[in-house]
Amino acid sequence: MVVIQKEHIESIPVLHLVNHDQQSDKLPFVIFIHGFTSAKEHNLHYAYLLAEQGFRVLLPEALYHGERDLQLKEQDLYLKFWEIVLNTIHEIKTLKNYFSKMELIDEDRIGVAGTSMGGIATLGALTQFEWIKAAVCLMGMPSYVKFSHWQIEQIKKQGYSLELTQEKIDRELSVLAEYDLSLQKEKLANRPLLFWHGQNDHMVPYIFAREFYESVKDSYSESPEKLEFITDQLAGHKVSKSGVKATVDWFNKYL
C-alpha cells in the first residue's frame, strides 16, 4: 500500500509517497517537479506508480504555485518564470539534503524529473548537482538563454511591455547561462537522460529539446541506451500515457 503524506520541509510544501512497508527504509529517491501554473497534486499518478515500484518520491510545490500561490495574475506570474525555475533548482538540493540527513534515501540512486517548467528545472539541476544519477525531461528543454529570447519575442508579439532595460535583460541572461545545459554539455557526464516531447507543443517548442538531444547524441556512443528521445508526433503540451509509463520504466532501469 502506498502512503501519501503532506509535509512541509524547510517551508517547502511537498507530497511524500512511499510504500507503507518501506517508510523507514533507505530507498532510491525521485523528486518530480510540476509545470507552470500547475500544482504538485497534478503529478500524483507519476509518484504513485514510482512508489509502487519501491521508490521514495517527493512532489514539491513550486514558488508562487499551489499552497504557495500569491494570487498573481498569469502575466505577472509569467514574468517570474525564471525566478521560479532557479528557486526550484535550489530547493531540489534542500530536499535531497533533508532526506539524506534522515538516512531515508540511497544517495547513489537519486533521480529528478518534471513536466514542462519542471522538465526545464530538471535539466538546469543537472548543471549543478553531480549526485543526480538519472533524469527525465517531459516537455521541457535545457537551452535557458535561447528559450528566454523566444519568450521575450512571444511577449512582444502579444503586445505586452516588458518594462525591462536591455542592461537588466543581459544581466538576467548571464545568470541563466550558469544553468543552461546546452552551454555546458560536459556536465551531463553521460548520465541517463530521457526526453519525451510532443511535436505539436506550442508552449515549449519541440525544436529546443530535439536540437540538444542531437548535439549530445555522439557523446553517448559507448552507451547509447542511456540517452533517449521519445517523440509523439500527434501530441501538444500534454504527456501521453505511454510517456508516463516510459518515465517509470526509465527510473526502474537506471536507479
Side-chain angles (χ1 to χ4, degrees):
M1 181 180 71
V2 173
V3 176
I4 303 174
Q5 301 173 77
K6 191 173 182 179
E7 303 176 10
H8 282 76
I9 297 171
E10 295 196 23
S11 79
I12 305 167
V14 302
L15 293 178
H16 174 194
L17 286 80
V18 64
N19 269 322
H20 180 270
D21 296 337
Q22 297 177 296
Q23 290 185 79
S24 301
D25 296 347
K26 188 177 283 191
L27 300 175
F29 186 50
V30 174
I31 298 174
F32 196 105
I33 306 158
H34 68 75
F36 186 67
T37 71
S38 185
K40 59 188 183 303
E41 291 82 4
H42 296 177
N43 292 318
L44 269 169
H45 53 312
Y46 291 96
Y48 187 90
L49 292 169
L50 285 163
E52 275 193 320
Q53 296 295 314
F55 293 91
R56 186 179 303 279
V57 188
L58 271 198
L59 300 173
E61 197 88 86
L63 192 65
Y64 308 133
H65 288 71
E67 291 184 53
R68 305 169 88 173
D69 187 3
L70 297 181
Q71 301 298 311
L72 297 173
K73 294 179 181 178
E74 187 165 331
Q75 181 62 28
D76 294 331
L77 187 64
Y78 191 72
L79 294 175
K80 293 182 178 294
F81 180 85
W82 290 110
E83 177 190 349
I84 298 165
V85 169
L86 299 188
N87 186 75
T88 298
I89 292 170
H90 298 150
E91 290 185 345
I92 287 171
K93 181 179 180 181
T94 299
L95 296 170
K96 176 261 185 183
N97 287 344
Y98 174 85
F99 281 90
S100 178
K101 288 177 183 176
M102 297 290 287
E103 298 186 352
L104 290 173
I105 60 173
D106 181 343
E107 295 201 45
D108 292 324
R109 301 167 73 189
I110 297 174
V112 180
T115 56
S116 190
M117 180 184 74
I120 293 170
T122 294
L123 296 175
L126 291 176
T127 70
Q128 306 296 307
F129 311 130
E130 294 179 357
W131 41 260
I132 298 174
K133 303 301 183 184
V136 177
C137 175
L138 304 155
M139 309 182 299
M141 58 86 236
S143 306
Y144 283 28
V145 174
K146 279 186 181 180
F147 188 63
S148 185
H149 281 298
W150 179 83
Q151 287 176 310
I152 290 170
E153 289 306 310
Q154 297 307 302
I155 290 171
K156 289 179 178 177
K157 284 179 182 178
Q158 292 171 25
Y160 293 106
S161 173
L162 279 174
E163 298 182 359
L164 294 173
T165 64
Q166 188 59 48
E167 181 182 359
K168 185 171 183 182
I169 290 172
D170 292 341
R171 189 163 58 246
E172 291 186 359
L173 289 175
S174 70
V175 172
L176 292 183
E178 298 175 20
Y179 299 84
D180 188 324
L181 188 59
S182 73
L183 299 179
Q184 39 194 329
K185 297 169 187 173
E186 71 282 355
K187 289 189 176 180
L188 185 51
N190 294 102
R191 284 176 284 185
L193 174 59
L194 170 68
F195 288 92
W196 184 98
H197 218 114
Q199 214 161 12
N200 298 313
D201 190 337
H202 300 297
M203 299 293 291
V204 182
Y206 172 87
I207 188 64
F208 291 112
R210 187 71 199 193
E211 282 182 345
F212 175 79
Y213 166 77
E214 295 293 343
S215 73
V216 298
K217 192 164 56 173
D218 287 348
S219 68
Y220 281 80
S221 57
E222 294 185 7
S223 52
E225 71 283 356
K226 289 184 178 179
L227 180 70
E228 185 174 350
F229 197 111
I230 300 173
T231 297
D232 189 314
Q233 295 181 343
L234 300 178
H237 199 65
K238 184 178 180 180
V239 183
S240 65
K241 291 180 181 178
S242 61
V244 175
K245 183 179 184 302
T247 300
V248 177
D249 290 346
W250 193 258
F251 286 125
N252 263 327
K253 185 174 182 179
Y254 290 110
L255 290 184

